Amino acid sequence: MTQKHLSKYLDKLPSAFYVTSSYTNYYSKRTTRALFKKPIHSGMDMYLIFAALFGLVLGSFYSVCVSRYGTDNTIFKPARSFCPQCDHQLTILENIPLISFLIQKGRCSLCKARIPIFYPLIELTSMFWAVLAATHATTYVEWVVLLAIGGICIVASAIDLRTFLLPDILTYSGAAIVLVASYAGILHVDFMQSLLGAGIGAFALWAVSALYKLIRKINGMGLGDVKFMLMLGALTGIGHLSIFIFLASVLALIFCIISTRGKAGMSRVYIPFGPFLASGALITYLYGDQIASFIR
Ligand SMILES: [Zn+2]
């Protein structure tokens, strides 16, 4: 693709530069943002390529975090990744995010054991999020904060899928990051909106799970989801909370229908809700204004 083609394509992206006027007005109030303004056209392609590569590297780190959660290993020890089957320590060439997986056709170079597709998918998701966040963020600072938020969402969701647990360290630190960033005016959600979104979102989810427990006498939802909601409700704000919960529920329902292939007994399937909450909230943060104006 030539540079001309790419910039033509970028013009069509529903990026933050073209969205609703309320959004633009909100930003124009914050003149300090000009200090960190992103290049809008010139240099945008290089920025997106950098975002993709950086997202891949971060994704590689995330998959290490996920694979080592709940084991005797820590994130930094052992320093180099290894094959869980034969303990073969990966060389630098075997450790390139995504590329190594493709070259080795998804197998360990020594014992030929299959590498779960789950891990390159984490890297791919991280790359996708880094690029998407780059096209939407109006400042570099917002992009960096969105990378941190997306990273916590990806790692928490992957751990939830693997273990049905959402670690407190991720959910609580995520909530702190979002609230501090919205207070500092880095995110395009007002601080009071954020605070109410966190409180009411978490309370609503807790009330639903308490009611479910009362009626069905079993735990329907973990407390981890309620804690995760503190972070995600703060990200979308109270104004877009209903859009967020609707999206998360629809995504979870689609997953349920596909995974049970529409068979009976769906009420007894236990699914990790974290990944759907996270994707619902991230989509709402990026497209909430457009979805809201579409509904009206
Ligand atoms: Zn091996």
Side-chain angles (χ1 to χ4, degrees):
M1 210 189 308
T2 64
Q3 193 158 344
K4 203 176 158 197
H5 278 113
L6 191 68
S7 62
K8 242 183 178 175
Y9 172 71
L10 284 174
D11 282 343
K12 287 183 189 144
L13 280 177
S15 69
F17 319 118
Y18 307 101
V19 291
T20 58
S21 58
S22 68
Y23 191 89
T24 324
N25 283 341
Y26 182 80
Y27 272 111
S28 61
K29 284 179 201 151
R30 298 179 184 267
T31 44
T32 46
R33 282 165 182 279
L35 287 172
F36 301 103
K37 273 270 181 281
K38 285 190 324 185
I40 292 186
H41 287 292
S42 60
M44 189 67 185
D45 44 358
M46 280 312 289
Y47 172 46
L48 290 185
I49 291 168
F50 170 75
L53 293 176
F54 193 56
L56 265 185
V57 173
L58 285 177
S60 173
F61 171 68
Y62 300 157
S63 60
V64 169
C65 296
V66 175
S67 67
R68 294 185 183 181
Y69 180 77
T71 68
D72 294 336
N73 300 313
T74 65
I75 294 172
F76 300 106
K77 230 175 127 185
R80 291 268 283 278
S81 295
F82 57 91
C83 166
Q85 290 294 325
C86 66
D87 284 341
H88 158 62
Q89 213 178 56
L90 303 190
T91 62
I92 293 172
L93 279 177
E94 288 167 338
N95 221 346
I96 309 167
L98 215 58
I99 310 287
S100 301
F101 181 85
L102 294 174
I103 291 175
Q104 291 163 220
K105 297 192 177 76
R107 287 177 187 277
C108 165
S109 63
L110 201 70
C111 70
K112 305 291 172 201
R114 271 203 179 282
I115 305 166
I117 185 91
F118 190 58
Y119 296 106
L121 277 181
I122 293 177
E123 293 167 352
L124 208 61
T125 312
S126 167
M127 180 178 88
F128 180 69
W129 174 251
V131 173
L132 198 65
T135 60
H136 279 261
T138 13
T139 61
Y140 286 121
V141 185
E142 186 187 2
W143 180 59
V144 171
V145 170
L146 285 180
L147 281 185
I149 292 169
I152 288 175
C153 285
I154 292 170
V155 175
S157 301
I159 289 178
D160 197 15
L161 280 169
R162 260 195 56 201
T163 64
F164 290 98
L165 288 170
L166 284 164
D168 281 355
I169 181 140
L170 292 175
T171 51
Y172 285 146
S173 58
I177 289 173
V178 175
L179 286 170
V180 168
S182 88
Y183 182 76
I186 295 167
L187 295 173
H188 70 256
V189 54
D190 183 71
F191 179 62
M192 272 319 281
Q193 284 261 329
S194 224
L195 210 57
L196 287 171
I200 295 179
F203 176 76
L205 210 63
W206 173 82
V208 169
S209 78
L211 203 69
Y212 188 87
K213 199 176 173 184
L214 202 72
I215 298 169
R216 307 271 316 248
K217 308 272 186 271
I218 43 169
N219 270 327
M221 203 180 288
L223 211 57
D225 292 315
V226 175
K227 293 172 191 163
F228 203 19
M229 196 66 182
L230 284 174
M231 170 192 183
L232 302 175
L235 182 66
T236 63
I238 183 86
H240 285 339
L241 201 62
S242 48
I243 295 177
F244 154 39
I245 293 176
F246 176 74
L247 281 177
S249 312
V250 169
L251 290 172
L253 189 67
I254 293 172
F255 176 84
C256 263
I257 293 171
I258 293 173
S259 63
T260 60
R261 292 182 193 84
K263 281 182 206 141
M266 222 169 83
S267 63
R268 266 167 282 142
V269 192
Y270 192 62
I271 62 156
F273 205 37
F276 308 106
L277 284 177
S279 8
L282 293 177
I283 296 171
T284 306
Y285 180 78
L286 298 185
Y287 300 105
D289 285 344
Q290 283 102 316
I291 297 172
S293 58
F294 178 75
I295 296 169
R296 270 182 215 123

